[in-house]
Amino acid sequence: MKIITIASAKGGVGKSTFCCVVAEMLASQGKRVLLADMDIGVRSLDILLNVSEKTVYNWGDIIKGNCEYRKAVIEAKKDIFLLPAPIDFSNDYTVDGFKEMIERFRKDFDFILLDAPAGLESGFMLAAGATDSCIVISTPDAISIRAASYAAEKMKKSGISDIRLVVNKFNKKIHKNINVDEFIDNVGAQFLGIIPDSLEIYNSVNGKKIPYDCKGNQAFLRISKRISGENVPFRTKLL
């Protein structure tokens, strides 16, 4: 079982959507996946997974002893589960306390994805202290690249060496001159894959199934297999 933080220092790069779609792909391969929302206060995964009305407890309640740890978990879909974030921050939410809490779930799931908030403060630092590895999400623009680099550096300082990069919302017409090798060097992370800017992907978080043969579906499928440890070759051309 592996705990993976999905991170960026910038909002709007598609972290939460990435978490939901990758969870779908992993579940389709027979994996049990827990999504932990780390965005204290804002929260979004319960909306994207359409389980807001089922939310009673959150991981903060587990840390505070308000509920037994399994009671905070919501089954969203077959083999996909959500651990919601608290509404407010508390001094009870320490790095050690969060790590001890999330470790209880190791035996129950094949993957735990920690959806870190934009920025590198409380939720990010809690995730960094409990994770095995990190996937940094960036869109192909200078600000996002800088933010991804900063997030990767913060992870390294937290002792995480397994850091991978996903380039999201790639449009070959707009970004035709992108140099992927330079992109990877700037971020300082192992390349995991490129995801095209795709309406089908955005629609998928609203309950619509991604067509199997669309480029977005195929990109996520390749990435999910790499996450599972399969040796999936990289394409020689960008999408």
Side-chain angles (χ1 to χ4, degrees), residues 45-66:
L45 288 181
D46 62 312
I47 296 174
L48 294 177
L49 294 170
N50 197 31
V51 293
S52 298
E53 294 182 356
K54 297 181 181 180
T55 302
V56 178
Y57 297 110
N58 55 66
W59 55 256
D61 288 312
I62 301 174
I63 293 174
K64 291 180 177 181
N66 295 336

Side-chain angles (χ1 to χ4, degrees), residues 100-133:
E100 180 181 350
M101 181 276 298
I102 208 71
E103 284 287 338
R104 298 182 188 182
F105 293 101
R106 275 199 187 267
K107 63 182 180 297
D108 297 325
F109 297 95
D110 297 298
F111 290 95
I112 298 177
L113 305 181
L114 307 181
D115 184 16
L120 304 177
E121 298 180 352
S122 56
F124 177 90
M125 296 312 296
L126 292 176
T131 197
D132 300 322
S133 62

Side-chain angles (χ1 to χ4, degrees), residues 6 14-24 35 45 113-115:
I6 314 301
K15 289 185 287 75
S16 296
T17 299
F18 177 87
C19 284
C20 292
V21 180
V22 163
E24 289 265 11
L35 298 174
L45 288 181
L113 305 181
L114 307 181
D115 184 16

Side-chain angles (χ1 to χ4, degrees), residues 71-217:
K71 285 189 176 181
V73 174
I74 302 166
E75 183 172 7
K77 299 179 182 180
K78 184 179 185 300
D79 290 331
I80 299 176
F81 299 81
L82 172 65
L83 184 59
I87 297 174
D88 299 301
F89 183 77
S90 168
N91 289 331
D92 293 326
Y93 307 153
T94 64
V95 171
D96 289 342
F98 180 81
K99 182 177 182 179
E100 180 181 350
M101 181 276 298
I102 208 71
E103 284 287 338
R104 298 182 188 182
F105 293 101
R106 275 199 187 267
K107 63 182 180 297
D108 297 325
F109 297 95
D110 297 298
F111 290 95
I112 298 177
L113 305 181
L114 307 181
D115 184 16
L120 304 177
E121 298 180 352
S122 56
F124 177 90
M125 296 312 296
L126 292 176
T131 197
D132 300 322
S133 62
C134 177
I135 296 174
V136 179
I137 310 293
S138 178
T139 50
D141 61 87
I143 295 174
S144 291
I145 294 169
R146 180 177 291 178
S149 176
Y150 189 41
E153 187 60 31
K154 281 287 187 180
M155 277 288 169
K156 290 174 185 176
K157 288 182 179 179
S158 297
I160 306 304
S161 58
D162 184 2
I163 303 173
R164 306 190 194 188
L165 169 68
V166 167
V167 180
N168 197 20
K169 301 182 181 182
F170 179 84
N171 186 313
K172 66 179 181 180
K173 293 181 180 179
I174 298 173
H175 307 118
K176 60 184 178 181
N177 295 321
I178 186 173
N179 185 320
V180 175
D181 291 333
E182 184 177 333
F183 202 122
I184 296 167
D185 289 341
N186 286 337
V187 176
Q190 182 182 352
F191 188 55
L192 186 60
I194 293 180
I195 300 168
D197 196 8
S198 168
L199 181 61
E200 290 91 347
I201 292 172
Y202 301 134
N203 286 340
S204 71
V205 297
N206 294 316
K208 294 184 179 180
K209 190 174 182 61
I210 305 176
Y212 181 80
D213 59 350
C214 85
K215 291 182 178 179
N217 186 84

